[in-house]
Amino acid sequence: MSTSEHKRILFDFGTSWRTRRKSAVGITRCEHEVARYLLNEHLDNVIFGLFDETEMSFRALAVEDVRQVLDGYEAAPPHATDIAKSDLQTPVAATPGEASLDEIEALNEVIRYTRDLHARPARLLKRLFSTSKKPSSCPCFDPEWYLAANRDVADAGFDPLDHFLSHGLQEMRSPGPMFNTRWYIANNPDVPGSGLGALEHFLKYGRLEGRAGVPARGAPSPVTAWSHSTPLPLVHLDDLRCVILPGIFWEGDKTKYLAREKQRIGFGIYALIYDLIPLVIPQYCDREVASNFGRCLHFLLWEADGFCCISKSTENDLRAYADKHGYPSLARGTTKVLPLGPASIVERRDEIEVVPVEDRRIVKDGFVLFVSTIEARKNHAFAYQLWRNLVQRNGGRTMPLVIVGSIAWGVADLMDTIRRDPAVSPDSIIHLGSIVDAELLWLYENCAFTIFPSFYEGWGIPISESLFFGKPCIAATGSSLEEAGQGLATHIPLIDGRHWLEATESMMFDLAARRTKSETIVRRYEKSSWRDFSRDLVDFALSKRPAAVSGASSKTRTASHSNVRQ
């Protein structure tokens, strides 16, 4: 047995650690499942690590702290709300940690103004004739503090608020002593991917979730566990066989650091790739995220020994991107497709006591379900127009559309339109926001069918979840959606609105056809398990030997790295 086989696995647990106060969804849920497998099957050979950007090193988490995260160190979800009767319509007193309506309105003015201010040249006319006015204030902004902390601004004689709005926000300068922009981003890695600026995220969501805007006085560094006040132990990379990156890799200098150290030491690097959305369809992604994603992926394409892709579509995107941009071709065996199934809570539904959703409008077999974070890419605008047409054609016979998901970026105008549309009653479209797992299971078990009109996905877990419960799903075409559908979902191009309308009406009003479809799904749907997914991911990493480091290879790759803007 070779020496490398005695070495250990470094499992990057950073995404789960930094989002431990939130309910686990998406990438975090996936990272949790692989971590559980490693705890059960490879406990003696795994190190759960956190990357420390300030020290450029990995630190080792204690196993008990990892278990505590997996066992549910999470915040309670926000109360359910519906779109037509949002709490934002009625002024309420701010609770501790919650942004007031005045703060939110002031923040929205800042966002509108700065987006107009930084509009691209192609939108010059829009900028010239914009009606947005310079805000008179900004939440958390302290002009005296800002000038004292930014001597260049004071020396140049700039008005502090003018400078912050025109330059400071984009340069990630902090607005005042109550909010540290860079610290907030560094300690909340989900923020760059949310499509929201750091301050916007903090005021709208972070503070309500109990996240701090500044480090507490005397607080431990981000790489200390809650059961410690001392820094976590350093991970010695010489002791590693491989590094597995199961979560968010597109932040900071983690992949650059690993690429450099791999050249020096020779351990393996394996990344789980969910999608290439920031590069393939950047219009549905925050500009900063798209830039970071490409920069971080660059180092992986040079140095990673393997990529596990959650769909054939993602694998194709990865190979096409590498070929198009001049990276080494991904050799056969370098990539492996590991399809996702439903969320782990669905798989373990027998262990969870299902809780009915207490809402008179939501009755068994009498509603349609749409589970997804509310953002532009998920195409809730299409669902809204679809239901608007259904209500106009069928009136009160139309089943309500129940939308489950937190509100993300790029949908503020849409949500406002839905609230104000007299053609869509509060009984037609119901938003439940973030709900507990037991309620989500009840919704899947009791809905008539589901829809998923997303523009683009890495997989499409809501489709898998719908089929798992034997529920028909009407979904869009393209990307990985048909892979998730297994030939059992009804896939319709988004351009074919009439077909969507007719298929939805048929599913809604033809009970016999819906039951036949459900019976077919129950017979033919191929269920997958998270244990199998996790085992295949770890086995893939352990089955390979890291490529030997040669001087020529190292020099060539280092030169390529230097071509990336740092």
Side-chain angles (χ1 to χ4, degrees):
M1 188 175 290
S2 69
T3 303
S4 66
E5 290 173 334
H6 293 291
K7 293 187 174 183
R8 304 177 77 184
I9 302 166
L10 173 60
F11 184 81
D12 179 16
F13 199 62
T15 302
S16 295
W17 179 256
R18 291 195 177 97
T19 59
R20 63 190 182 276
R21 289 182 172 84
K22 298 181 65 178
S23 296
V25 296
I27 292 175
T28 308
R29 275 198 191 276
C30 187
E31 189 170 288
H32 280 197
E33 292 306 313
V34 184
R36 284 191 179 95
Y37 173 80
L38 287 168
L39 285 172
N40 292 331
E41 303 294 334
H42 294 271
L43 180 58
D44 294 336
N45 296 313
V46 65
I47 301 170
F48 294 93
L50 304 177
F51 185 63
D52 184 351
E53 289 281 351
T54 59
E55 299 292 334
M56 290 296 285
S57 61
F58 273 91
R59 302 279 178 165
L61 270 172
V63 169
E64 57 266 27
D65 289 322
V66 174
R67 292 191 190 279
Q68 194 167 352
V69 172
L70 300 180
D71 289 343
Y73 186 80
E74 298 166 348
H79 295 296
T81 58
D82 64 74
I83 288 176
K85 294 183 178 179
S86 167
D87 290 340
L88 292 178
Q89 287 185 313
T90 306
V92 294
T95 58
E98 182 179 359
S100 68
L101 292 177
D102 289 341
E103 283 182 308
I104 293 297
E105 182 54 37
L107 178 66
N108 288 338
E109 287 184 12
V110 168
I111 293 167
R112 287 191 293 268
Y113 176 78
T114 53
R115 285 178 180 169
D116 242 8
L117 189 67
H118 297 291
R120 292 176 292 180
R123 296 162 64 193
L124 179 60
L125 286 177
K126 182 177 179 179
R127 289 161 57 194
L128 290 174
F129 293 99
S130 171
T131 58
S132 60
K133 298 178 180 179
K134 173 193 163 186
S136 58
S137 64
C138 175
C140 297
F141 186 76
D142 183 327
E144 293 183 2
W145 182 95
Y146 190 79
L147 290 176
N150 298 278
R151 297 308 308 172
D152 57 326
V153 178
D155 293 344
F158 281 115
D159 176 83
L161 182 58
D162 276 346
H163 184 275
F164 180 67
L165 295 176
S166 59
H167 301 287
L169 270 173
Q170 285 197 324
E171 295 168 0
M172 292 199 297
R173 303 196 191 205
S174 300
M178 302 307 294
F179 185 76
N180 186 315
T181 303
R182 292 182 182 275
W183 181 88
Y184 188 77
I185 292 172
N187 285 272
N188 297 279
D190 57 318
V191 172
S194 70
L196 305 176
L199 181 59
E200 182 180 6
H201 185 281
F202 172 66
L203 288 170
K204 290 185 175 179
Y205 303 105
R207 205 158 70 179
L208 187 61
E209 295 166 354
R211 306 193 198 193
V214 292
R217 182 174 298 177
S221 75
V223 288
T224 55
W226 60 66
S227 57
H228 309 270
S229 59
T230 56
L232 299 175
L234 186 69
V235 175
H236 297 285
L237 302 188
D238 304 65
D239 299 334
L240 299 180
R241 177 173 179 175
C242 65
V243 178
I244 297 178
L245 302 174
I248 295 174
F249 65 80
W250 51 96
E251 57 183 9
D253 290 320
K254 183 191 306 180
T255 59
K256 179 183 177 183
Y257 166 78
L258 288 173
R260 184 191 69 203
E261 292 302 301
K262 181 197 170 167
Q263 290 178 15
R264 184 176 67 84
I265 299 171
F267 52 79
I269 301 174
Y270 300 89
L272 181 56
I273 306 296
Y274 296 88
D275 57 65
L276 265 71
I277 286 170
L279 304 177
V280 176
I281 50 169
Q283 66 271 29
Y284 292 116
C285 186
D286 179 75
R287 196 172 297 176
E288 184 179 352
V289 172
S291 175
N292 288 342
F293 192 97
R295 180 178 63 83
C296 295
L297 181 63
H298 166 86
F299 296 103
L300 293 180
L301 286 170
W302 274 107
E303 296 296 346
D305 296 86
F307 298 91
C308 289
C309 303
I310 66 170
S311 66
K312 186 66 179 176
S313 172
T314 295
E315 182 187 50
N316 291 339
D317 285 346
L318 182 65
R319 289 185 173 278
Y321 180 83
D323 292 342
K324 179 179 179 180
H325 294 278
Y327 290 99
S329 295
L330 297 175
R332 191 171 185 177
T334 306
T335 61
K336 183 178 180 66
V337 176
L338 298 177
L340 293 182
S344 56
I345 56 117
V346 173
E347 187 178 282
R348 294 197 292 267
R349 64 173 176 168
D350 293 339
E351 304 171 17
I352 301 173
E353 184 177 351
V354 175
V355 176
V357 173
E358 299 295 337
D359 191 314
R360 62 168 181 78
R361 300 167 296 178
I362 303 175
V363 297
K364 182 178 175 61
D365 294 327
F367 64 96
V368 181
L369 188 62
F370 182 6
V371 178
S372 169
T373 302
I374 303 176
E375 59 178 275
R377 176 173 58 86
K378 301 294 187 177
N379 209 7
H380 290 77
F382 182 91
Y384 157 57
Q385 291 295 340
L386 175 63
W387 243 252
R388 196 177 194 278
N389 278 276
L390 286 168
V391 170
Q392 289 177 337
R393 286 163 60 110
N394 301 287
R397 297 175 59 222
T398 306
M399 290 182 182
L401 176 64
V402 176
I403 298 174
V404 176
S406 58
I407 298 175
W409 73 292
V411 294
D413 289 345
L414 170 65
M415 303 301 280
D416 184 58
T417 298
I418 296 174
R419 290 187 190 102
R420 297 167 55 197
D421 187 351
V424 180
S425 74
D427 294 337
S428 301
I429 299 179
I430 304 166
H431 176 215
L432 295 182
S434 295
I435 60 175
V436 297
D437 292 343
E439 291 174 313
L440 179 61
L441 294 179
W442 185 90
L443 290 169
Y444 270 122
E445 289 179 348
N446 291 280
C447 70
F449 61 98
T450 69
I451 64 168
F452 196 62
S454 176
F455 282 114
Y456 201 96
E457 292 293 320
W459 178 250
I461 284 181
I463 298 176
S464 297
E465 292 174 342
S466 182
L467 299 178
F468 185 96
F469 283 98
K471 300 296 182 176
C473 178
I474 305 176
T477 56
S479 62
S480 61
L481 296 172
E482 285 144 305
E483 289 181 69
Q486 294 188 12
L488 297 171
T490 301
H491 293 278
I492 306 172
L494 289 170
I495 199 171
D496 193 350
R498 179 170 292 278
H499 190 181
W500 267 87
L501 190 62
E502 293 170 351
T504 306
E505 286 179 328
S506 175
M507 196 73 72
M508 191 176 290
F509 301 125
D510 190 338
L511 179 59
R514 193 166 76 236
R515 284 178 175 170
T516 299
K517 183 70 173 176
S518 293
E519 290 167 359
T520 301
I521 293 169
V522 171
R523 283 198 319 270
R524 293 177 49 198
Y525 177 62
E526 297 180 6
K527 297 178 180 179
S528 59
S529 76
W530 278 102
R531 177 179 172 78
D532 290 345
F533 174 90
S534 302
R535 181 200 61 221
D536 292 346
L537 170 62
V538 175
D539 287 354
F540 178 69
L542 295 179
S543 68
K544 295 180 174 295
R545 297 182 186 278
V549 177
S550 67
S553 173
S554 178
K555 290 178 182 178
T556 301
R557 294 177 183 181
T558 301
S560 300
H561 295 172
S562 66
N563 292 332
V564 179
R565 290 184 62 191
Q566 304 304 319

